[in-house]
Amino acid sequence: MTETTQTQTTPDDAFRPYTPRSPEYRAAVEALRGLRQDLFHDAFAYRPLPPKRVDGPLRGRLSGRMRGYAAWSRHTVVAGAGAVAMLAALAGGEGGVTGPLCGLLALVPVLLTLVRPVGAFWVSLAATTASAVVGSYWSAWPWAPGSFVSHLTVLTVVAIRTRPRTAAWMWLLTAAYAFVAQSAFGWNDYGGDTPAMLVVSAFALLAVTVWHIRRDAAQEVTAQQTETAHERSRRTLLEERTTIARELHDVVAHHMSVVAIQAEAAPYRVENPPPELEKAFATIRENAVAALTELRRVLGVVRAEDYEAPDAPQPTLADLDALLANVREAGLTVEKVITGAVRELPQGVELSAYRIVQEALSNSLRHAPGAAARVELGYVLGGLGLRVVNGPAAHFPPKKSAHGAGHGITGMRERVTMLNGEMTAGETAEGGYEVTVFLPVTTAEGAA
């Protein structure tokens, strides 16, 4: 057996005590990292300003050509500000080639904000220096009139296109540039315009920052409202499905109980029934009881703890007259029209039809007070047609809560979808509202 010994060296710095960093140090490191990320990393990245959306309520009314012009309105404003900066440089009194050169140095950084916003800031500082070197406008330092307008425009546009932290860094760098230029190249006989630049730019960047904060807050509120509306709609949908399941549970449980009772009593209605018949009825009763038990076990989960099964059976279309009488007492003028041969439909279909009419009339009472309503029932070969329509409100309804908007329509659609039916709902040309439903019923179901 061979024994091998390995020697492992430990670096000297492994025994150095850990020195915690102070909060100030970490804050400075984070600040420098933010500065590098905002103004140095990919500073000249290509980020063109997209055209403005023209789907707003006001801009959407414009014609095709005017809408195209409106889409480029922001680009036009920036170009106009660049033209103002160029004219300010030309108005400085420079002669020869110097005037147009200073005007070009004032225009280029502004136009560059449309495609490379962060890079435009650095170009603006360079153009300011170049204008100060080649120009002879010595009444102000270090910004000539054209450079002053150009750099102020660049700061504002870049702040709008980026974020508030970038605006703060640009203002600090502008102040540092002004301090260096004023200290190193400023003489006492020169009038300094650094305070004016810093004060005006501070107010401009503060306004842009407030705009950013308000816009982000509005977007956050809109997102929360959308999410809340989605959750509210989903909760309403689940509640409506739970209600439907409870009602159908009561209907099916009633029928299964009737089957079990009739199967148990059937042998006693016949004298000397054969054993095969007694066995068949016993099997039917056992299956009905087992199905009823399983149904209660499965569908019992949809019942709330405080839910109590109704003593009376679930309503059908035979109870529609009582519903209309109650609605008339509440102040809604309503008439009923029936076409086709009235026949008994499956209880689930009749229950859903009753609930749909009930909800539609409730919506008429709630949203169109004083209006007249009409309930139409059409018994056709393939099923049942429903139409509930009301006229315009006689007077303005009270202010509605947003928490109940659209819940009745959701419940109707759930019931119609459950029965594989079709439904349309919308405003009428007269200013009222109409709900049209078709609930299919097969021949076997209708005969049952």
Side-chain angles (χ1 to χ4, degrees):
M1 179 179 297
T2 304
E3 183 176 348
T4 305
T5 303
Q6 295 182 353
T7 303
Q8 187 175 8
T9 59
T10 303
D12 296 337
D13 57 356
F15 297 100
R16 293 178 182 175
Y18 171 71
T19 304
R21 302 295 187 181
S22 63
E24 293 79 5
Y25 176 83
R26 291 195 297 268
V29 171
E30 290 295 330
L32 293 176
R33 185 180 294 114
L35 172 62
R36 178 180 178 276
Q37 181 181 359
D38 291 341
L39 292 179
F40 289 93
H41 182 68
D42 288 337
F44 288 87
Y46 181 68
R47 288 185 291 173
L49 179 64
K52 194 173 185 179
R53 297 179 59 181
V54 291
D55 54 353
L58 181 60
R59 292 185 294 270
R61 300 178 182 178
L62 300 176
S63 61
R65 178 175 297 180
M66 294 302 297
R67 187 177 302 178
Y69 293 154
W72 299 96
S73 58
R74 295 181 298 188
H75 301 72
T76 304
V77 171
V78 174
V84 171
M86 182 178 63
L87 292 177
L90 294 177
E94 301 290 349
V97 184
T98 305
L101 180 59
C102 291
L104 186 63
L105 291 174
L107 176 63
V108 170
V110 177
L111 297 181
L112 194 61
T113 59
L114 297 175
V115 290
R116 305 181 191 276
V118 178
F121 169 74
W122 296 110
V123 172
S124 179
L125 291 180
T128 299
T129 305
S131 298
V133 171
V134 301
S136 58
Y137 191 84
W138 304 112
S139 62
W141 181 264
W143 280 279
S147 300
F148 190 96
V149 177
S150 176
H151 191 69
L152 185 61
T153 303
V154 169
L155 289 177
T156 305
V157 175
V158 176
I160 293 175
R161 296 201 58 193
T162 54
R163 53 182 175 177
R165 190 178 72 178
T166 305
W169 282 123
M170 289 191 301
W171 189 88
L172 290 176
L173 290 178
T174 299
Y177 170 82
F179 176 77
V180 172
Q182 194 77 27
S183 300
F185 303 102
W187 290 270
N188 294 330
D189 56 341
Y190 292 162
D193 54 2
T194 296
M197 168 60 73
L198 296 182
V199 171
V200 175
S201 62
F203 278 107
L205 296 181
L206 180 61
V208 172
T209 301
V210 172
W211 174 79
H212 272 293
I213 294 174
R214 289 178 58 86
R215 184 192 64 174
D216 295 341
Q219 291 178 352
E220 184 177 356
V221 170
T222 302
Q224 290 179 353
Q225 290 178 346
T226 303
E227 184 178 357
T228 302
H230 176 72
E231 291 297 328
R232 186 182 301 123
S233 177
R234 182 174 177 270
R235 185 177 66 250
T236 303
L237 190 64
L238 293 178
E239 291 175 355
E240 191 62 36
R241 288 180 178 177
T242 301
T243 303
I244 296 173
R246 289 172 181 171
E247 294 177 349
L248 291 182
H249 171 264
D250 298 334
V251 171
V252 176
H254 169 73
H255 285 292
M256 295 301 295
S257 299
V258 171
V259 170
I261 293 173
Q262 290 181 347
E264 184 178 8
Y268 300 100
R269 299 179 181 228
V270 181
E271 293 183 0
N272 300 321
E276 294 82 2
L277 183 61
E278 292 183 354
K279 183 178 180 181
F281 279 117
T283 302
I284 293 175
R285 181 184 181 281
E286 291 175 0
N287 289 334
V289 172
L292 184 60
T293 303
E294 190 68 17
L295 179 66
R296 286 173 177 169
R297 183 183 68 82
V298 174
L299 295 184
V301 298
V302 303
R303 294 188 184 275
E305 295 180 359
D306 56 349
Y307 176 77
E308 296 181 0
D311 297 332
Q314 294 290 351
T316 63
L317 291 177
D319 305 312
L320 195 57
D321 290 335
L323 173 64
L324 299 183
N326 292 333
V327 172
R328 292 189 184 101
E329 293 179 357
L332 181 67
T333 303
V334 58
E335 62 174 331
K336 182 181 71 171
V337 178
I338 299 178
T339 58
V342 179
R343 66 184 187 276
E344 185 178 357
L345 299 175
Q347 191 169 359
V349 176
E350 294 217 359
L351 173 61
S352 295
Y354 179 90
R355 294 302 187 197
I356 290 172
V357 174
Q358 183 183 37
E359 185 60 39
L361 293 178
S362 299
N363 288 342
S364 299
L365 279 171
R366 187 180 305 112
H367 304 295
R374 179 184 177 93
V375 178
E376 300 178 1
L377 301 177
Y379 290 86
V380 296
L381 183 61
L384 176 68
L386 290 176
R387 181 174 180 267
V388 182
V389 58
N390 62 265
H395 52 273
F396 291 104
K399 186 176 181 180
K400 303 182 291 297
S401 172
H403 297 284
H407 290 190
I409 299 297
T410 302
M412 296 181 201
R413 293 192 186 279
E414 279 299 301
R415 293 181 182 275
V416 173
T417 302
M418 178 190 65
L419 297 174
N420 295 324
E422 298 178 359
M423 172 182 167
T424 59
E427 297 183 359
T428 61
E430 294 79 13
Y433 202 82
E434 177 181 358
V435 177
T436 306
V437 175
F438 177 75
L439 303 177
V441 178
T442 60
T443 305
E445 291 175 338

